[in-house]
Coordinates of all heavy atoms in Angstrom, one line a residue:
E1 N 124.0 115.1 119.6 CA 124.1 114.6 118.3 C 123.4 115.6 117.3 O 122.4 116.2 117.7 CB 123.3 113.3 118.2 CG 121.8 113.4 118.4 CD 121.2 112.0 118.7 OE1 121.2 111.2 117.8 OE2 120.6 111.9 119.8
D2 N 124.0 115.8 116.2 CA 123.5 116.9 115.3 C 122.3 116.4 114.5 O 122.1 115.2 114.3 CB 124.6 117.4 114.4 CG 125.3 116.3 113.6 OD1 125.0 115.1 113.9 OD2 125.9 116.5 112.6
M3 N 121.5 117.3 114.1 CA 120.3 116.9 113.4 C 120.7 116.3 112.0 O 121.5 116.8 111.3 CB 119.4 118.2 113.1 CG 118.7 118.6 114.3 SD 117.4 117.4 114.8 CE 116.3 117.5 113.4
V4 N 120.0 115.2 111.7 CA 120.2 114.6 110.4 C 119.6 115.6 109.3 O 118.5 116.1 109.6 CB 119.5 113.3 110.3 CG1 119.8 112.6 108.9 CG2 120.0 112.4 111.4
E5 N 120.3 115.8 108.3 CA 119.7 116.6 107.2 C 118.6 115.8 106.5 O 118.8 114.7 106.0 CB 120.8 116.9 106.2 CG 120.4 117.9 105.1 CD 120.0 119.3 105.6 OE1 120.7 119.8 106.5 OE2 119.0 119.8 105.1
L6 N 117.4 116.4 106.6 CA 116.2 115.7 106.1 C 116.1 115.9 104.6 O 116.1 117.1 104.1 CB 114.9 116.1 106.8 CG 114.8 115.8 108.3 CD1 113.5 116.4 108.8 CD2 114.8 114.3 108.5
R7 N 116.0 114.9 103.8 CA 115.8 115.0 102.4 C 114.4 115.4 102.1 O 113.5 114.8 102.7 CB 116.2 113.6 101.7 CG 116.2 113.7 100.2 CD 116.8 112.4 99.7 NE 115.9 111.3 99.8 CZ 114.9 111.1 98.9 NH1 114.7 111.9 98.0 NH2 114.1 110.0 99.0
V8 N 114.2 116.2 101.2 CA 112.8 116.6 100.8 C 112.2 115.6 99.9 O 112.8 115.3 98.8 CB 112.8 118.0 100.2 CG1 111.4 118.4 99.7 CG2 113.3 119.1 101.1
L9 N 111.1 115.1 100.3 CA 110.4 114.0 99.5 C 109.4 114.8 98.6 O 108.5 115.5 99.0 CB 109.7 113.1 100.4 CG 109.2 111.7 99.9 CD1 110.4 110.9 99.3 CD2 108.5 111.0 101.0
R10 N 109.5 114.6 97.3 CA 108.6 115.2 96.3 C 107.3 114.4 96.3 O 107.3 113.2 96.6 CB 109.1 115.2 94.9 CG 110.3 116.2 94.8 CD 110.7 116.4 93.3 NE 110.4 115.2 92.5 CZ 111.4 114.2 92.4 NH1 112.5 114.3 92.9 NH2 111.1 113.2 91.6
K11 N 106.2 115.0 95.9 CA 104.9 114.4 95.9 C 104.9 113.1 95.0 O 104.4 112.1 95.4 CB 103.8 115.3 95.5 CG 102.4 114.7 95.7 CD 101.3 115.6 95.3 CE 100.0 114.9 95.6 NZ 98.8 115.6 95.2
D12 N 105.5 113.2 93.8 CA 105.4 112.1 92.9 C 106.2 110.9 93.5 O 105.9 109.8 93.3 CB 105.9 112.5 91.5 CG 107.3 113.1 91.5 OD1 107.7 113.6 92.5 OD2 107.9 113.1 90.4
E13 N 107.3 111.3 94.1 CA 108.2 110.2 94.8 C 107.4 109.5 95.9 O 107.4 108.3 96.0 CB 109.4 110.9 95.5 CG 110.7 110.8 94.8 CD 111.8 111.5 95.6 OE1 111.6 112.7 96.0 OE2 112.7 110.8 96.0
F14 N 106.7 110.3 96.7 CA 106.0 109.8 97.8 C 104.9 108.9 97.3 O 104.6 107.8 97.8 CB 105.4 111.0 98.6 CG 105.0 110.7 100.0 CD1 104.6 111.7 100.9 CD2 105.1 109.4 100.5 CE1 104.3 111.4 102.2 CE2 104.7 109.1 101.9 CZ 104.4 110.1 102.7
A15 N 104.2 109.3 96.2 CA 103.1 108.6 95.6 C 103.6 107.2 95.1 O 103.0 106.2 95.3 CB 102.5 109.3 94.5
D16 N 104.8 107.2 94.5 CA 105.4 106.0 94.0 C 105.7 105.0 95.2 O 105.5 103.8 95.1 CB 106.7 106.2 93.3 CG 106.5 106.9 91.9 OD1 105.3 106.9 91.4 OD2 107.5 107.4 91.3
I17 N 106.3 105.6 96.2 CA 106.6 104.7 97.4 C 105.3 104.2 98.0 O 105.3 103.0 98.4 CB 107.4 105.6 98.4 CG1 108.8 105.8 97.9 CG2 107.5 104.8 99.8 CD1 109.6 106.9 98.6
L18 N 104.3 105.0 98.1 CA 103.0 104.5 98.6 C 102.5 103.3 97.8 O 101.9 102.4 98.3 CB 102.0 105.6 98.8 CG 102.2 106.5 100.0 CD1 101.3 107.7 99.9 CD2 102.0 105.8 101.3
E19 N 102.6 103.5 96.5 CA 102.1 102.4 95.6 C 102.9 101.1 95.9 O 102.3 100.0 95.9 CB 102.3 102.8 94.1 CG 101.1 103.4 93.6 CD 101.3 103.8 92.1 OE1 101.9 103.1 91.3 OE2 100.7 104.9 91.7
E20 N 104.2 101.2 96.0 CA 105.0 100.1 96.3 C 104.6 99.5 97.7 O 104.6 98.3 97.8 CB 106.5 100.4 96.3 CG 107.1 100.7 95.0 CD 108.6 100.9 95.1 OE1 109.3 100.0 95.6 OE2 109.1 102.0 94.6
M21 N 104.4 100.4 98.6 CA 104.0 99.9 100.0 C 102.6 99.2 99.9 O 102.5 98.1 100.6 CB 103.9 101.1 100.9 CG 105.2 101.6 101.4 SD 105.1 102.9 102.6 CE 104.5 102.0 104.0
E22 N 101.7 99.7 99.1 CA 100.4 99.0 99.0 C 100.6 97.6 98.4 O 100.0 96.7 98.8 CB 99.5 99.8 98.1 CG 98.8 100.9 99.0 CD 97.7 101.6 98.2 OE1 97.4 101.3 97.1 OE2 97.1 102.5 98.8
S23 N 101.4 97.5 97.3 CA 101.5 96.1 96.8 C 102.3 95.2 97.7 O 102.0 94.0 97.8 CB 102.2 96.2 95.4 OG 103.5 96.8 95.4
A24 N 103.2 95.8 98.5 CA 103.9 94.9 99.5 C 102.9 94.5 100.6 O 102.9 93.4 101.1 CB 105.0 95.7 100.2
M25 N 102.0 95.4 100.9 CA 100.9 95.1 101.9 C 100.1 93.9 101.4 O 99.8 93.0 102.1 CB 100.1 96.3 102.1 CG 98.9 96.1 103.0 SD 97.9 97.7 103.0 CE 96.8 97.5 101.6
Y26 N 99.6 94.0 100.1 CA 98.8 93.0 99.6 C 99.5 91.6 99.5 O 98.9 90.6 99.6 CB 98.2 93.4 98.2 CG 97.1 94.5 98.4 CD1 97.3 95.7 97.8 CD2 96.0 94.2 99.2 CE1 96.3 96.7 97.9 CE2 95.0 95.2 99.3 CZ 95.2 96.5 98.7 OH 94.3 97.4 98.9
S27 N 100.8 91.7 99.2 CA 101.5 90.4 99.1 C 102.1 90.0 100.5 O 102.8 89.1 100.6 CB 102.6 90.5 98.1 OG 103.4 91.5 98.3
L28 N 101.7 90.8 101.5 CA 102.1 90.5 102.9 C 103.6 90.4 103.1 O 104.1 89.6 103.8 CB 101.4 89.2 103.4 CG 99.9 89.2 103.4 CD1 99.4 87.9 103.9 CD2 99.3 90.3 104.2
D29 N 104.3 91.3 102.4 CA 105.7 91.3 102.4 C 106.2 92.4 103.4 O 106.5 93.5 103.1 CB 106.3 91.7 101.0 CG 107.8 91.5 100.9 OD1 108.4 91.4 101.9 OD2 108.3 91.4 99.8
G30 N 106.3 92.0 104.7 CA 106.7 92.9 105.7 C 108.1 93.4 105.6 O 108.4 94.5 105.9
D31 N 109.0 92.5 105.0 CA 110.4 92.9 104.9 C 110.5 94.1 103.9 O 111.2 95.0 104.1 CB 111.2 91.8 104.4 CG 111.4 90.7 105.5 OD1 111.2 91.1 106.7 OD2 111.6 89.5 105.2
L32 N 109.7 94.0 102.8 CA 109.8 95.1 101.8 C 109.2 96.3 102.4 O 109.7 97.4 102.2 CB 109.0 94.6 100.6 CG 109.0 95.7 99.4 CD1 110.4 96.2 99.0 CD2 108.2 95.2 98.2
L33 N 108.1 96.2 103.2 CA 107.5 97.4 103.8 C 108.6 98.1 104.7 O 108.7 99.3 104.7 CB 106.3 97.0 104.6 CG 105.0 96.9 103.9 CD1 103.9 96.3 104.8 CD2 104.5 98.3 103.4
L34 N 109.3 97.3 105.5 CA 110.3 97.9 106.4 C 111.4 98.6 105.6 O 111.9 99.6 106.0 CB 110.8 96.8 107.3 CG 109.9 96.3 108.4 CD1 110.5 95.1 109.1 CD2 109.5 97.4 109.4
E35 N 111.7 98.0 104.5 CA 112.8 98.5 103.6 C 112.3 99.9 103.1 O 113.1 100.8 103.1 CB 113.0 97.5 102.5 CG 114.4 97.6 101.9 CD 114.6 96.5 100.9 OE1 114.6 95.3 101.3 OE2 114.7 96.8 99.7
L36 N 111.1 99.9 102.6 CA 110.5 101.2 102.0 C 110.4 102.2 103.1 O 110.8 103.4 102.9 CB 109.2 100.9 101.4 CG 109.2 100.1 100.1 CD1 107.8 99.5 99.8 CD2 109.7 100.9 98.9
L37 N 110.0 101.9 104.3 CA 109.9 102.8 105.4 C 111.3 103.3 105.8 O 111.5 104.5 106.0 CB 109.2 102.2 106.6 CG 107.7 101.9 106.5 CD1 107.2 101.0 107.6 CD2 107.0 103.3 106.5
D38 N 112.2 102.4 105.8 CA 113.6 102.8 106.1 C 114.1 103.9 105.2 O 114.8 104.8 105.5 CB 114.5 101.6 106.2 CG 115.8 101.9 106.9 OD1 115.7 102.3 108.1 OD2 116.9 101.7 106.3
G39 N 113.7 103.7 103.9 CA 114.1 104.6 102.9 C 113.6 106.1 103.0 O 114.2 107.0 102.5
I40 N 112.5 106.2 103.7 CA 111.9 107.6 103.9 C 112.0 108.2 105.3 O 111.5 109.2 105.5 CB 110.5 107.7 103.3 CG1 109.6 106.7 104.1 CG2 110.4 107.4 101.8 CD1 108.1 107.0 103.8
K41 N 112.6 107.4 106.2 CA 112.6 107.9 107.6 C 113.3 109.2 107.8 O 113.0 109.9 108.7 CB 113.0 106.8 108.6 CG 114.5 106.5 108.5 CD 114.8 105.6 109.7 CE 116.3 105.4 109.9 NZ 116.8 104.2 109.2
N42 N 114.3 109.5 107.0 CA 115.1 110.7 107.1 C 114.6 111.7 106.0 O 115.5 112.5 105.5 CB 116.6 110.5 107.0 CG 117.1 109.7 108.3 OD1 116.6 109.9 109.4 ND2 118.0 108.8 108.0
C43 N 113.3 111.7 105.7 CA 112.8 112.6 104.7 C 111.8 113.6 105.4 O 111.3 113.3 106.4 CB 112.1 111.9 103.6 SG 113.2 111.0 102.6
Q44 N 111.6 114.7 104.7 CA 110.5 115.6 105.1 C 109.6 115.8 103.9 O 110.0 115.6 102.7 CB 111.1 116.9 105.5 CG 112.0 117.6 104.5 CD 112.4 119.0 104.9 OE1 111.5 119.8 105.4 NE2 113.6 119.4 104.8
Y45 N 108.4 116.0 104.2 CA 107.4 116.2 103.2 C 106.5 117.5 103.5 O 106.0 117.6 104.6 CB 106.5 115.0 103.1 CG 105.4 115.1 102.0 CD1 105.9 115.0 100.7 CD2 104.1 115.2 102.3 CE1 104.9 115.1 99.6 CE2 103.2 115.3 101.3 CZ 103.6 115.3 99.9 OH 102.7 115.4 98.9
E46 N 106.4 118.4 102.6 CA 105.7 119.6 102.8 C 106.2 120.3 104.1 O 105.4 120.8 104.9 CB 104.2 119.3 102.8 CG 103.6 118.8 101.6 CD 103.5 119.8 100.5 OE1 103.1 120.9 100.8 OE2 103.6 119.4 99.3
G47 N 107.5 120.3 104.3 CA 108.0 120.9 105.5 C 107.9 120.2 106.8 O 108.3 120.7 107.9
K48 N 107.3 119.0 106.8 CA 107.2 118.2 108.0 C 108.1 117.0 108.0 O 108.0 116.2 107.0 CB 105.7 117.8 108.3 CG 104.8 119.0 108.5 CD 103.8 118.7 109.5 CE 103.0 119.9 110.0 NZ 101.7 120.0 109.2
P49 N 108.9 116.7 109.0 CA 109.6 115.5 109.0 C 108.7 114.3 109.1 O 107.7 114.3 109.8 CB 110.5 115.6 110.3 CG 110.0 116.8 111.1 CD 109.1 117.5 110.2
L50 N 109.2 113.2 108.4 CA 108.4 112.0 108.4 C 108.9 111.0 109.5 O 108.3 109.9 109.7 CB 108.5 111.3 107.1 CG 107.9 112.0 105.9 CD1 108.1 111.3 104.6 CD2 106.4 112.3 106.1
T51 N 109.9 111.4 110.3 CA 110.5 110.5 111.2 C 109.5 109.8 112.2 O 109.6 108.6 112.3 CB 111.6 111.2 112.0 OG1 112.2 112.2 111.2 CG2 112.6 110.3 112.6
E52 N 108.7 110.6 112.8 CA 107.8 110.0 113.8 C 106.7 109.1 113.2 O 106.5 108.0 113.7 CB 107.0 111.1 114.5 CG 107.8 111.7 115.7 CD 108.3 110.6 116.6 OE1 107.5 109.8 117.1 OE2 109.5 110.6 116.9
V53 N 106.1 109.5 112.1 CA 105.1 108.6 111.5 C 105.7 107.4 111.0 O 105.1 106.3 111.0 CB 104.3 109.4 110.4 CG1 105.1 109.7 109.2 CG2 103.0 108.6 110.0
V54 N 107.0 107.4 110.5 CA 107.6 106.2 110.0 C 107.9 105.3 111.2 O 107.7 104.1 111.1 CB 108.9 106.6 109.2 CG1 109.8 105.3 109.0 CG2 108.6 107.2 107.9
K55 N 108.3 105.9 112.3 CA 108.6 105.0 113.5 C 107.3 104.3 113.9 O 107.3 103.1 114.2 CB 109.0 105.9 114.7 CG 110.5 106.0 114.8 CD 110.8 106.8 116.1 CE 112.2 107.4 116.0 NZ 112.4 108.5 116.9
K56 N 106.2 105.0 113.9 CA 104.9 104.4 114.2 C 104.5 103.3 113.2 O 104.0 102.2 113.6 CB 103.8 105.4 114.3 CG 103.9 106.3 115.5 CD 102.8 107.4 115.6 CE 103.1 108.3 116.7 NZ 102.4 109.6 116.5
A57 N 104.7 103.6 112.0 CA 104.4 102.6 110.9 C 105.2 101.4 111.0 O 104.7 100.3 110.9 CB 104.5 103.3 109.5
V58 N 106.5 101.5 111.4 CA 107.4 100.4 111.6 C 106.9 99.5 112.7 O 106.8 98.3 112.5 CB 108.9 100.9 111.9 CG1 109.7 99.7 112.4 CG2 109.5 101.4 110.6
R59 N 106.4 100.1 113.8 CA 105.8 99.3 114.9 C 104.6 98.5 114.4 O 104.5 97.4 114.7 CB 105.4 100.3 116.0 CG 106.4 100.2 117.2 CD 106.0 101.1 118.3 NE 107.1 102.0 118.6 CZ 107.0 103.3 118.7 NH1 105.8 103.9 118.5 NH2 108.0 104.1 118.9
K60 N 103.8 99.2 113.6 CA 102.6 98.5 113.0 C 103.0 97.3 112.2 O 102.5 96.2 112.3 CB 101.8 99.4 112.2 CG 101.1 100.5 112.9 CD 100.0 100.0 113.8 CE 99.3 101.1 114.5 NZ 98.4 100.6 115.6
V61 N 104.0 97.5 111.3 CA 104.5 96.4 110.5 C 105.0 95.2 111.3 O 104.8 94.1 111.0 CB 105.6 96.9 109.5 CG1 106.2 95.7 108.7 CG2 105.0 97.9 108.5
E62 N 105.8 95.6 112.4 CA 106.3 94.5 113.3 C 105.2 93.8 114.0 O 105.4 92.6 114.3 CB 107.2 95.2 114.3 CG 108.6 95.6 113.7 CD 109.4 96.5 114.6 OE1 108.9 97.0 115.6 OE2 110.6 96.7 114.3
L63 N 104.0 94.4 114.1 CA 102.8 93.7 114.6 C 102.0 93.0 113.5 O 100.9 92.6 113.8 CB 102.0 94.6 115.4 CG 102.6 95.3 116.7 CD1 101.7 96.4 117.2 CD2 102.9 94.3 117.8
F64 N 102.5 93.0 112.3 CA 101.8 92.5 111.2 C 100.6 93.2 110.8 O 99.7 92.7 110.1 CB 101.5 91.0 111.3 CG 102.8 90.2 111.6 CD1 103.1 89.7 112.9 CD2 103.7 89.9 110.6 CE1 104.2 89.0 113.1 CE2 104.9 89.2 110.8 CZ 105.1 88.8 112.1
D65 N 100.5 94.5 111.3 CA 99.3 95.3 110.9 C 99.7 96.2 109.7 O 99.9 97.4 109.9 CB 99.0 96.2 112.1 CG 97.7 96.9 111.9 OD1 97.1 96.9 110.8 OD2 97.2 97.6 112.9
Y66 N 99.9 95.5 108.6 CA 100.4 96.2 107.4 C 99.5 97.3 106.9 O 99.9 98.4 106.5 CB 100.7 95.2 106.3 CG 101.6 94.1 106.6 CD1 101.6 92.9 106.0 CD2 102.6 94.3 107.6 CE1 102.5 91.9 106.3 CE2 103.5 93.3 107.9 CZ 103.4 92.1 107.3 OH 104.3 91.1 107.6
M67 N 98.2 97.1 107.0 CA 97.2 98.0 106.5 C 97.3 99.4 107.2 O 97.3 100.5 106.6 CB 95.8 97.5 106.6 CG 94.9 98.2 105.6 SD 93.4 97.2 105.4 CE 93.8 96.2 104.0
S68 N 97.4 99.3 108.6 CA 97.5 100.6 109.3 C 98.8 101.3 109.0 O 98.8 102.6 108.9 CB 97.5 100.2 110.8 OG 96.3 99.7 111.2
A69 N 99.9 100.6 108.8 CA 101.1 101.2 108.5 C 101.0 102.0 107.2 O 101.4 103.2 107.1 CB 102.2 100.2 108.3
V70 N 100.4 101.4 106.2 CA 100.3 102.1 104.9 C 99.3 103.2 105.0 O 99.5 104.3 104.4 CB 99.8 101.1 103.8 CG1 99.5 101.8 102.5 CG2 100.9 100.0 103.6
E71 N 98.2 103.0 105.8 CA 97.2 104.1 106.0 C 97.8 105.3 106.6 O 97.5 106.4 106.2 CB 96.1 103.5 106.9 CG 94.7 103.7 106.3 CD 93.8 102.8 107.1 OE1 93.7 103.0 108.4 OE2 93.1 102.0 106.5
M72 N 98.7 105.1 107.6 CA 99.3 106.2 108.3 C 100.1 107.1 107.3 O 100.0 108.3 107.4 CB 100.4 105.7 109.3 CG 99.8 105.3 110.6 SD 101.1 104.6 111.6 CE 100.3 104.5 113.1
L73 N 100.8 106.5 106.4 CA 101.6 107.3 105.5 C 100.7 107.9 104.4 O 101.0 109.0 104.0 CB 102.7 106.4 104.9 CG 103.8 106.3 105.9 CD1 104.4 105.0 106.0 CD2 104.9 107.4 105.7
T74 N 99.7 107.2 104.0 CA 98.8 107.8 103.0 C 98.1 109.0 103.6 O 98.0 110.1 103.0 CB 97.7 106.7 102.7 OG1 98.3 105.5 102.2 CG2 96.8 107.2 101.5
N75 N 97.7 108.9 104.9 CA 97.1 110.1 105.6 C 98.1 111.2 105.6 O 97.7 112.4 105.4 CB 96.7 109.7 107.0 CG 95.5 108.8 107.0 OD1 94.8 108.6 106.0 ND2 95.2 108.1 108.1
Q76 N 99.3 110.9 105.9 CA 100.4 111.9 106.0 C 100.5 112.7 104.7 O 100.6 113.9 104.7 CB 101.7 111.2 106.4 CG 102.9 112.2 106.7 CD 102.7 112.9 108.0 OE1 102.1 112.4 108.9 NE2 103.4 114.0 108.2
M77 N 100.4 111.9 103.6 CA 100.6 112.6 102.3 C 99.3 113.4 102.0 O 99.4 114.5 101.5 CB 100.8 111.5 101.3 CG 100.9 112.1 99.9 SD 101.4 110.9 98.7 CE 100.9 111.7 97.2
T78 N 98.1 112.9 102.3 CA 96.9 113.6 101.8 C 96.6 114.8 102.8 O 96.2 115.8 102.3 CB 95.7 112.6 101.8 OG1 95.7 111.8 102.9 CG2 95.8 111.7 100.6
V79 N 96.9 114.6 104.0 CA 96.6 115.7 105.0 C 97.4 116.9 104.6 O 96.9 118.1 104.5 CB 97.0 115.3 106.4 CG1 97.1 116.5 107.3 CG2 96.0 114.3 107.0
Q80 N 98.7 116.7 104.2 CA 99.6 117.8 103.9 C 99.1 118.5 102.6 O 99.2 119.7 102.5 CB 101.0 117.3 103.6 CG 101.6 116.6 104.8 CD 101.7 117.6 106.0 OE1 101.8 118.8 105.9 NE2 101.7 117.0 107.2
T81 N 98.6 117.8 101.6 CA 98.4 118.4 100.3 C 97.0 119.1 100.3 O 96.8 120.0 99.6 CB 98.4 117.4 99.2 OG1 97.6 116.2 99.6 CG2 99.8 116.9 98.9
S82 N 96.1 118.7 101.2 CA 94.8 119.3 101.2 C 94.8 120.8 101.8 O 93.8 121.5 101.8 CB 93.8 118.5 102.0 OG 94.2 118.4 103.3
E83 N 96.0 121.2 102.3 CA 96.0 122.5 103.0 C 96.4 123.6 102.0 O 96.6 124.7 102.4 CB 97.1 122.5 104.1 CG 96.7 121.7 105.3 CD 97.8 121.5 106.3 OE1 98.9 122.1 106.1 OE2 97.7 120.7 107.2
E84 N 96.4 123.3 100.7 CA 96.8 124.3 99.7 C 95.8 125.4 99.6 O 94.6 125.1 99.6 CB 97.0 123.7 98.4 CG 98.3 122.9 98.3 CD 98.4 122.1 97.0 OE1 97.7 122.4 96.1 OE2 99.2 121.1 97.1

């Protein structure tokens, strides 16, 4: 199977998605979290694909561990940017 072309996620886009994920987390809206995750699973950020971290986050959401799911992606975003 050929590699899916990964869309580049901009920092401001990622920040917006994380904000949406946080509010979904506080309102315990697992469906919305899964939808948001699905939207970025074929993206890359700062040259790294998000596929794996999104898969792990989806598993957390399925276990109703919403906070860990959001934390994982927040870490992904901050780890990448601190390397400048």
Side-chain angles (χ1 to χ4, degrees):
E1 64 195 300
D2 55 346
M3 284 294 294
V4 181
E5 186 61 43
L6 294 175
R7 189 168 75 77
V8 175
L9 197 60
R10 293 192 323 274
K11 186 177 182 186
D12 55 339
E13 256 183 302
F14 203 171
D16 288 347
I17 289 167
L18 282 172
E19 267 179 36
E20 285 184 59
M21 284 182 70
E22 278 187 2
S23 59
M25 170 185 91
Y26 288 120
S27 56
L28 302 178
D29 189 343
D31 291 337
L32 179 55
L33 274 171
L34 289 172
E35 204 175 296
L36 289 164
L37 285 166
D38 196 56
I40 60 169
K41 70 167 189 268
N42 292 324
C43 289
Q44 53 172 317
Y45 182 69
E46 299 284 324
K48 295 217 171 95
L50 295 176
T51 325
E52 276 309 304
V53 69
V54 168
K55 268 187 202 158
K56 288 179 185 156
V58 165
R59 256 179 237 129
K60 293 287 182 193
V61 173
E62 287 167 349
L63 298 168
F64 303 104
D65 188 356
Y66 301 153
M67 199 163 272
S68 294
V70 174
E71 232 165 58
M72 279 176 169
L73 281 139
T74 306
N75 291 343
Q76 186 74 21
M77 180 172 159
T78 46
V79 166
Q80 299 300 332
T81 47
S82 61
E83 286 169 13
E84 283 169 25

